[in-house]
Amino acid sequence: MIKLQSVSHWYGQVIGVNDVTCTIGPGVTALLGMNGAGKTTMMRLITGQIRANTGSVRVLGHDPFANPEVYRLLGYCPDVDAFYETMTGREFVTLMARLAGFSAPEAKRRADEAIDRVGMADRADRRLAGYSKGMRQRIKLAQAMIHDPRIILLDEPLNGLDPGGRREFILLLRHLADEGKLILVSSHILFEVEQMTRSILLLHRGRLRATGDLRVIRELIDRHPHRIRIETPHPRALAARLVEWPFVLSVSLEAGGEALEIQTREPDRFYGSLPELVEQGLVILGLSSPDNNLESVFRYLVEA
Amino acid sequence: MPESGLIADLSYRGYDGPLLPPTHRWWVIARMGVRQAFRKRAYWVVTALSAWYYLVMMAVLFFFERAAQSAPGARGEAGFEAFIGRIVWKDQFLHGFGFAQLLYLIAALMLGAGAIANDNRSKALLVILSKPCDKRDYLAGKWMGVFLPLLTMMLIPPLVFFVYGALSYRDYGFLDNPWFFPKFLIVLVLGAAVHTSLVIGISSLFDQGRLAGASYAGIYFLTNFFTQLMVFAWLDSQVFLWGGARGGAGQSPFAEYVDRLYYVSIDGLLIGLCKAILGTDGSPQFGMPSPIRPVPAPPLLATLLVALALCAAGVAVAWSRIRAVEVVR
Amino acid sequence: MIARVLFLHALRDFLRFRRVLAWVLVIAGVAVAGWVWAGLMGEMAPTDVYARLSSILTFRVLPLAAAVFATAVVGQEVEQKTIVYLLTRPVGRPTLLLSRAAAATVVVFAIGAACALTVAAAAGFRSGVAGSLGQDLVALAVGSLAYVSLFLVVSLLLNRAMVVCLLYAFGWETSVGNMPGDLYHLAVSSYLSAIGSKPAPTSGNPMLDLLSGQLGLNLITPQRAWTVLGVLIVVCLVFGTRWFATHEYVPREDAE
Amino acid sequence: MVASLQNLTVRYGSFTALDSLSAEIPEGCVGLLGPNGAGKTTLIKTMLGFLTPAGGGGLVLGLDIRTQGREIRQKVGLMPEQDCHIPGLNAVQFVAFAGELAGMPSELALRRAHEVLEYCGLGEARYRNVETYSTGMKQRIKLAQALVHGPSLLLLDEPTNGLDPRGREEMLDLIRSVSHGKGVNVIVSSHLLPDVERVCDHVVVVSRGKVTEQGAIARLKVIEGRPIDIELKEESPEFVRALRDLGATVEATGLVLRVRLEGSAEQVSATIFRTARQTGAQVRGLAVAQRSLEGVFEEAVRA
């Protein structure tokens, strides 16, 4: 669907994206990165607002720059918080539908349906100037999916949504992904992204740092072995036994005395041999892996 | 060497220093305005430029005096006497004030156009009102923040000329009636107040300094344009009285209003105010003889009322436009 | 079809209440100036009064309106950051630019025509004024198109376009009419006055001539004026659309 | 008690933003939660004396919100949700100006501005104009201008909004270090519940203009009957069936099973590991089940 071939782009001497090569297929993919890592630049390249200085960008086989063919199949929810403030939400979405080439009645119908889908049906007739951030975000979503695009790009879509709104949005995204659409979401709220997808695309300082499934990437981070925390009434006894296992790199006892933390590069073997210890009378009350989530993976990958 | 080893705890600590009573916050905002104005180089450039009439006048006087002394015998001296006789000292301040109007506008734009407009765009009110300030402090502070630098800018050139005049031309009657200078200061205060109120009022209507500046300049030039029409209407009636080319029968219905309509613009009003307060109709610039009679001064009370009305209007517009805090549900 | 939607959206945006109010005030100012002035020039022939006023007032307001609305076609959208919604629609950029420019031209012409009408009313609709008014309306039509396309190109190239356009209109064009030699060929207004109503060469009052830019000679024949303006419009629009279609219009990446 | 509000009612025209809302805000760090348009921002504005309530009243830091608005705002630091700064100033000038506005003498304000900027991690960007700041830095300088006059109550409206993960972590550390042991009470109004969980001890949930839930987070998260959450490596129906045979009630959602089993914690965990080994399932997570804050939020909002 989307193919980037050694793409670079810079504004003056500020590097936006530097030699990125990747392909993005259907389903939900998360575009992650620090502020200024090049996420917005990449989004603008794919939506054809800017042109790559080197390399090529292909969306559905076409060069997206100022290309109406691509925009017929692409929906974009921009990161800028800007609107035609004097219009109402419904008018704005209807206008966007008309500009997508629908007739007046068809545009009205689609607008009402999209506004309903983002839960703004009762508040869409007020002027945009008075909207809260969450409401503006929903209107932006509505206009992004009004013309049944095959690709939907969302730049910081969760910004300002309340928990209820975010849950509805994630369900909506999953539903759209099930219809075979390609959804690229750039977001900073990692614990939300984790609920959306496991396929990530991590940019750091303009370079592509990691792509693919989160779990696989986590395995590949060998510089940071897996940390596993165990809550037990007798940490020292358990620690003595764990140290004997060859695949346990380190064991550290927490000050509170009720828990210990081990580091291992082979989590599978560790989890597999734990039950034996329990059978030999050692007690494990709690077992968790503090860094088996997107937040830690992100932190490890973008460490200076 | 401090004997006991000490690692300071640089984490957050509260502020327990003195806190002034949460009143008269407007002075803080005004001082910020003044500080920002004095920091701008362009401000001083405009101040210097606005003194050009006074500088020219000083140069003219200086060279005439030199020429008179170097010329042989009494003729040179007499020529200078005649020249200086023609000069009405207080009118020089009127002309200085009149010729600097454009620069006063530029200063007002530079100081005031963005005063509230840029605040609207950057939502500065949220910061200011979350401190112990309210709308009154904000408006008063902003107004003074523009008024004080504008008044200083208007004040410096005439002050310099006054000192120069008082020192070197005392015996030519410069200080015969010294009361004209305090009156002139009142003119400057009113002039600065009118410009400040109008530019603050217009600035509050926009959220971009540039647009506010463009609108105020637009209004200024449009009304000024109107005064230009009156200028040559006046010249035309002069030429006519003077038996000029266009004989022609009756006089147009507006002839007698011309000298009033002449003042119907921002700079016209200020010049009118200056004439009315100084109590002069003005006299030819640079002491050059000229057949055209200057436009007579407008009635003092009427001009004063119009000026104060403009000030009130500007402030009222600004007050109504400053919404305490965007009420967003 | 989409062009019509763009045209109507731009029209609605340009004719917002606050903007219309501002221009109504301007036209009111013109009316007052015209009425007062006509009163003063009691004995002058109405057509001459009309022609004089139209060159001073109407053909000054036209470039002013053009400067405001031409820069709003693209410049304002970029500044408001709402350009992203237009650029990511399945609409060719030329259509986008031209339909919004058309809306701007229509609004500018409307303002110019309103000015011309008030000035004509001020000069009294007596003999001949209607004729020169008609002539002026034609000049205003082609003038608004010329000014809008010229200022559009300026707004595409520079981001501080409004100031540049105003300087051109009020600085260059007002003074070029009075300059010696052929400098007047470089001002749109000279060509427009060749097409529109032409005030009598001199009115015997040097100041009046200075103001209405009559001091210099204006030897442009209407035919040449039409060709030059036509070329100017075509060149500006073609260059503008090419430039708009090949360049990036994106709010500046916030500095890290 | 930082603030006590008695049936506050605020109306915008016909819309009732706060509907006789009563709340007792305890010391320390309190999370203010609620869906869009529930009245959170209105509550903050009323506490600061921006809006005069149609009915009811309250005290903030012992000062009456109806009459002593200015005194409250001198003791409180507000970090607004929207971006806001004073145009044309660099960071130090801006924060010093905020200090002077709060009543600090100008030279003390300048010294304090440097200190607070250093503290908020803007030490090296202190002389740059605020317009050139990134989203993260804009959030920090908003916190700095709220802290400059040493407030005893800090109101933070969406402090971590728009920050990247590292920025969010640093902002949360900042808030936690200010609110614990420095004598500064903090009220965090946010939509990011995990952030609130990491920083706050108490929570007040506002929905449709009323307080529908309030209390210590720890207490609210407890589920009666202490069920155990087990996370497996892959789904294993045999494991679930084996547990059910042992009389446990099991609710499976994806890889996580919520198990209720009689017996002490040690016995339950021993049985779980034994069954896992027998059925070849691999247990990767074992914890006492807690209601997520989102769960608390959902129930409070639905009420």
Side-chain angles (χ1 to χ4, degrees):
Chain A
M1 290 273 205
I2 299 180
K3 236 180 84 48
L4 274 81
Q5 189 58 34
S6 60
V7 164
S8 302
H9 180 89
W10 44 83
Y11 307 88
Q13 83 278 18
V14 173
I15 190 79
V17 167
N18 182 351
D19 187 21
V20 168
T21 304
C22 69
T23 56
I24 307 171
V28 181
T29 307
L31 177 60
L32 308 174
M34 309 280 285
N35 281 347
K39 296 200 305 297
T40 308
T41 310
M42 191 140 159
M43 281 285 195
R44 287 182 180 156
L45 282 167
I46 297 174
T47 54
Q49 290 176 65
I50 51 178
R51 231 205 306 258
N53 294 90
T54 67
S56 74
V57 178
R58 284 291 172 276
V59 174
L60 301 167
H62 303 282
D63 171 8
F65 182 77
N67 179 347
E69 288 325 307
V70 169
Y71 294 138
R72 214 176 297 290
L73 307 165
L74 184 138
Y76 178 50
C77 169
D79 62 332
V80 288
D81 184 15
F83 280 99
Y84 298 103
E85 301 290 340
T86 52
M87 295 173 95
T88 73
R90 198 178 301 277
E91 278 168 10
F92 175 71
V93 177
T94 314
L95 171 69
M96 289 300 131
R98 291 299 306 280
L99 291 182
F102 295 105
S103 66
E106 176 64 7
K108 182 95 185 61
R109 189 185 62 73
R110 278 175 177 273
D112 294 343
E113 186 205 310
I115 284 178
D116 214 33
R117 228 170 160 185
V118 292
M120 284 290 288
D122 52 353
R123 293 171 290 183
D125 294 318
R126 290 213 304 263
R127 271 156 53 96
L128 281 163
Y131 278 26
S132 73
K133 220 166 186 201
M135 292 149 77
R136 295 163 87 95
Q137 212 58 33
R138 293 167 192 248
I139 289 293
K140 265 198 258 184
L141 296 181
Q143 65 88 19
M145 46 183 192
I146 192 120
H147 49 307
D148 290 339
R150 282 179 51 198
I151 297 176
I152 301 181
L153 291 137
L154 303 142
D155 206 334
E156 300 288 347
L158 302 174
N159 212 336
L161 285 179
D162 61 42
R166 267 207 299 281
R167 205 172 40 268
E168 288 155 28
F169 168 75
I170 292 172
L171 289 177
L172 185 61
L173 270 195
R174 252 201 224 118
H175 179 64
L176 292 170
D178 297 345
E179 290 167 11
K181 294 186 193 305
L182 181 153
I183 299 192
L184 185 64
V185 184
S186 144
S187 178
H188 282 318
I189 308 173
L190 299 183
F191 52 81
E192 229 85 41
V193 166
E194 245 173 322
Q195 291 164 15
M196 275 189 242
T197 174
R198 291 215 327 229
S199 143
I200 67 165
L201 218 148
L202 182 64
L203 282 176
H204 185 50
R205 294 208 177 89
R207 309 279 313 263
L208 190 56
R209 187 71 173 86
T211 67
D213 182 285
L214 175 66
R215 288 249 184 305
V216 170
I217 295 173
R218 178 62 190 93
E219 309 295 339
L220 297 176
I221 304 177
D222 49 17
R223 208 150 46 83
H224 292 277
H226 281 263
R227 289 179 15 236
I228 300 171
R229 185 171 179 278
I230 303 173
E231 284 164 34
T232 165
H234 39 74
R236 293 203 178 277
L238 183 60
R241 294 301 302 277
L242 291 176
V243 168
E244 287 152 13
W245 290 350
F247 42 83
V248 169
L249 297 173
S250 79
V251 178
S252 65
L253 294 157
E254 275 187 13
E258 280 297 316
L260 58 85
E261 198 175 280
I262 67 104
Q263 289 195 335
T264 170
R265 282 214 172 73
E266 297 154 283
D268 234 13
R269 281 184 66 189
F270 178 83
Y271 285 117
S273 33
L274 260 185
E276 283 152 36
L277 283 188
V278 174
E279 255 128 59
Q280 290 158 13
L282 287 166
V283 172
I284 295 178
L285 293 177
L287 183 65
S288 62
S289 169
D291 67 357
N292 196 4
N293 54 45
L294 185 54
E295 211 139 334
S296 333
V297 167
F298 184 91
R299 196 180 322 116
Y300 295 151
L301 289 175
V302 298
E303 254 160 16
Chain B
M1 258 293 287
E3 69 296 30
S4 69
L6 173 70
I7 300 177
D9 162 19
L10 291 184
S11 73
Y12 176 77
R13 57 184 172 159
Y15 165 78
D16 35 31
L19 275 179
L20 304 171
T23 52
H24 303 307
R25 295 292 101 216
W26 63 269
W27 170 242
V28 175
I29 299 174
R31 194 173 47 199
M32 167 61 62
V34 171
R35 236 187 257 146
Q36 274 187 316
F38 287 170
R39 234 189 265 130
K40 284 194 180 100
R41 260 197 320 281
Y43 173 78
W44 299 111
V45 167
V46 168
T47 309
L49 283 179
S50 73
W52 73 272
Y53 178 82
Y54 296 112
L55 298 176
V56 164
M57 201 49 205
M58 282 191 222
V60 163
L61 287 167
F62 179 77
F63 287 120
F64 252 87
E65 214 168 348
R66 271 298 153 284
Q69 272 143 9
S70 61
R75 198 172 52 69
E77 197 54 42
F80 180 68
E81 287 295 339
F83 166 73
I84 208 144
R86 270 200 308 278
I87 290 178
V88 176
W89 289 110
K90 63 181 177 184
D91 289 353
Q92 304 321 309
F93 291 92
L94 166 66
H95 300 315
F97 184 69
F99 277 101
Q101 282 305 316
L102 188 61
L103 290 149
Y104 293 156
L105 167 76
I106 291 171
L109 289 183
M110 189 174 60
L111 297 170
I116 299 181
N118 291 338
D119 280 1
N120 292 342
R121 183 158 45 84
S122 65
K123 301 193 179 66
L125 259 180
L126 267 179
V127 174
I128 292 173
L129 293 181
S130 67
K131 298 292 184 279
C133 308
D134 59 14
K135 251 167 81 163
R136 282 192 306 277
D137 294 319
Y138 178 70
L139 186 54
K142 280 290 163 183
W143 197 86
M144 288 304 271
V146 173
F147 175 75
L148 292 177
L150 193 55
L151 184 62
T152 339
M153 174 226 166
M154 285 175 159
L155 209 57
I156 295 174
L159 212 60
V160 165
F161 185 69
F162 181 78
V163 166
Y164 177 79
L167 292 179
S168 46
Y169 298 102
R170 213 177 20 256
D171 36 32
Y172 292 102
F174 190 85
L175 287 180
D176 288 356
N177 153 21
W179 282 107
F180 74 87
F181 198 67
K183 281 195 201 142
F184 184 66
L185 296 184
I186 295 170
V187 171
L188 293 185
V189 167
L190 282 170
V194 167
H195 267 303
T196 305
S197 311
L198 288 179
V199 85
I200 289 271
I202 289 172
S203 176
S204 68
L205 293 171
F206 295 88
D207 61 7
Q208 265 168 25
R210 265 198 354 277
L211 281 180
S215 320
Y216 186 46
I219 291 172
Y220 183 90
F221 282 121
L222 275 181
T223 51
N224 187 302
F225 199 82
F226 185 70
T227 308
Q228 299 294 343
L229 286 184
M230 289 305 112
V231 160
F232 61 74
W234 177 257
L235 292 177
D236 188 57
S237 62
Q238 289 292 304
V239 166
F240 177 71
L241 295 179
W242 196 47
R246 283 190 323 83
Q251 189 43 311
S252 70
F254 298 97
E256 73 282 358
Y257 293 120
V258 163
D259 50 7
R260 290 293 170 276
L261 291 176
Y262 171 84
Y263 296 111
V264 176
S265 73
I266 295 177
D267 59 345
L269 172 75
L270 295 186
I271 294 171
L273 208 61
C274 186
K275 285 186 181 176
I277 291 180
L278 288 183
T280 162
D281 286 351
S283 58
Q285 286 89 359
F286 307 112
M288 299 310 155
S290 118
I292 306 293
R293 195 163 50 81
V295 181
L300 173 61
L301 191 59
T303 329
L304 215 56
L305 279 178
V306 168
L308 294 178
L310 279 182
C311 291
V315 170
V317 164
W319 177 262
S320 67
R321 282 288 299 174
I322 299 171
R323 284 177 301 285
V325 168
E326 229 63 46
V327 177
V328 172
R329 274 191 301 288
Chain C
M1 209 283 288
I2 294 184
R4 205 165 54 78
V5 175
L6 279 168
F7 178 80
L8 293 175
H9 164 62
L11 217 54
R12 211 175 312 117
D13 190 26
F14 292 154
L15 296 181
R16 268 210 312 268
F17 174 69
R18 247 175 81 175
R19 286 185 171 189
V20 169
L21 188 67
W23 287 104
V24 162
L25 287 180
V26 167
I27 292 173
V30 164
V32 166
W35 174 63
V36 162
W37 176 246
L40 284 174
M41 284 289 129
E43 330 67 38
M44 222 190 230
T47 49
D48 200 22
V49 168
Y50 168 76
R52 181 78 51 208
L53 282 180
S54 119
S55 66
I56 297 174
L57 297 173
T58 317
F59 285 92
R60 291 288 177 277
V61 166
L62 187 70
L64 177 67
V68 170
F69 287 105
T71 49
V73 167
V74 171
Q76 191 195 329
E77 291 279 338
V78 170
E79 213 162 286
Q80 259 179 326
K81 295 198 178 112
T82 51
I83 192 87
V84 66
Y85 296 114
L86 300 178
L87 293 184
T88 54
R89 291 306 112 189
V91 179
R93 289 204 175 180
T95 333
L96 182 66
L97 190 75
L98 293 180
S99 35
R100 282 182 68 83
T105 312
V106 161
V107 170
V108 167
F109 173 68
I111 293 173
C115 262
L117 283 175
T118 39
V119 163
F125 270 99
R126 288 191 301 278
S127 65
V129 167
S132 40
L133 173 64
Q135 226 180 339
D136 267 3
L137 289 179
V138 170
L140 284 173
V142 75
S144 43
L145 192 54
Y147 275 123
V148 166
S149 21
L150 178 65
F151 290 161
L152 187 63
V153 167
V154 172
S155 84
L156 288 173
L157 299 178
L158 309 170
N159 53 29
R160 273 270 199 291
M162 174 95 85
V163 177
V164 172
C165 300
L166 287 178
L167 281 178
Y168 170 78
F170 287 92
W172 172 253
E173 284 210 331
T174 39
S175 48
V176 88
N178 311 328
M179 287 187 192
D182 291 346
L183 275 179
Y184 64 88
H185 288 287
L186 296 180
V188 172
S189 57
S190 327
Y191 296 96
L192 288 186
S193 60
I195 299 174
S197 62
K198 206 179 212 344
T202 56
S203 69
N205 179 314
M207 186 68 91
L208 190 58
D209 298 344
L210 175 74
L211 255 175
S212 56
Q214 285 311 309
L215 291 189
L217 292 165
N218 187 336
L219 305 175
I220 306 171
T221 62
Q223 292 71 17
R224 214 141 77 69
W226 279 101
T227 42
V228 168
L229 287 176
V231 163
L232 171 77
I233 291 168
V234 167
V235 162
C236 284
L237 289 183
V238 165
F239 173 78
T241 36
R242 282 266 314 120
W243 182 276
F244 186 61
T246 54
H247 279 72
E248 299 163 358
Y249 286 89
V250 153
R252 202 176 48 76
E253 178 73 23
D254 48 23
E256 191 45 33
Chain D
M1 193 53 72
V2 166
S4 65
L5 309 165
Q6 289 88 22
N7 39 55
L8 267 181
T9 312
V10 171
R11 280 193 199 78
Y12 299 125
S14 61
F15 175 72
T16 323
L18 296 185
D19 185 1
S20 65
L21 175 142
S22 300
E24 300 298 322
I25 315 264
E27 314 262 331
C29 195
V30 175
L32 181 61
L33 309 179
N36 284 97
K40 294 202 305 292
T41 311
T42 311
L43 181 58
I44 290 180
K45 285 181 187 163
T46 317
M47 285 169 70
L48 284 172
F50 281 167
L51 304 169
T52 46
L59 292 175
V60 171
L61 300 173
L63 298 164
D64 182 342
I65 57 173
R66 276 181 182 282
T67 54
Q68 294 170 303
R70 285 172 92 106
E71 288 75 6
I72 293 178
R73 292 202 295 276
Q74 190 167 39
K75 283 199 158 71
V76 167
L78 171 71
M79 173 178 171
E81 179 194 359
Q82 298 102 330
D83 278 344
C84 57
H85 61 273
I86 308 287
L89 297 181
N90 68 25
V92 175
Q93 291 162 333
F94 170 41
V95 175
F97 179 60
E100 284 175 55
L101 277 177
M104 298 168 72
S106 50
E107 63 293 349
L108 280 178
L110 189 61
R111 186 177 59 78
R112 175 73 178 170
H114 281 278
E115 189 181 313
V116 168
L117 280 171
E118 195 62 49
Y119 176 70
C120 289
L122 291 172
E124 74 289 346
R126 69 181 74 184
Y127 299 114
R128 267 175 51 191
N129 198 310
V130 178
E131 268 107 3
T132 65
Y133 272 20
S134 70
T135 326
M137 296 161 87
K138 282 192 178 123
Q139 292 288 90
R140 288 168 200 260
I141 193 152
K142 280 196 294 187
L143 179 64
Q145 66 87 22
L147 276 172
V148 66
H149 58 300
S152 43
L153 169 62
L154 205 51
L155 284 174
L156 310 176
D157 202 348
E158 301 285 353
T160 53
N161 207 354
L163 294 183
D164 59 31
R166 192 194 296 171
R168 205 151 86 254
E169 229 178 281
E170 281 158 8
M171 177 61 84
L172 291 178
D173 291 345
L174 262 176
I175 297 173
R176 195 181 305 114
S177 66
V178 165
S179 59
H180 294 83
K182 301 284 182 182
V184 180
N185 303 296
V186 175
I187 296 179
V188 180
S189 159
S190 176
H191 288 320
L192 304 177
L193 301 183
D195 288 359
V196 171
E197 217 167 326
R198 266 160 61 166
V199 170
C200 301
D201 324 320
H202 287 81
V203 154
V204 172
V205 181
V206 174
S207 167
R208 285 185 296 281
K210 283 189 175 329
V211 170
T212 50
E213 181 69 82
Q214 65 181 324
I217 292 181
R219 181 177 60 77
L220 292 169
K221 287 178 70 172
V222 165
I223 303 174
E224 72 312 325
R226 287 176 57 77
I228 306 282
D229 275 352
I230 305 172
E231 191 194 339
L232 297 177
K233 185 180 177 199
E234 306 103 6
E235 290 193 16
S236 140
E238 306 81 20
F239 180 64
V240 172
R241 222 176 302 107
L243 281 180
R244 285 205 174 107
D245 297 350
L246 293 169
T249 55
V250 181
E251 300 145 29
T253 47
L255 290 173
V256 177
L257 313 176
R258 178 153 296 183
V259 172
R260 278 187 176 71
L261 194 58
E262 300 317 320
S264 72
E266 288 83 2
Q267 284 160 342
V268 167
S269 97
T271 354
I272 288 169
F273 275 101
R274 192 172 57 254
T275 332
R277 211 159 69 76
Q278 283 157 2
T279 56
Q282 191 183 75
V283 171
R284 290 212 160 189
L286 185 73
V288 174
Q290 280 186 325
R291 247 183 7 170
S292 71
L293 194 55
E294 198 157 334
V296 170
F297 178 84
E298 241 167 74
E299 250 161 65
V301 167
R302 241 198 327 280

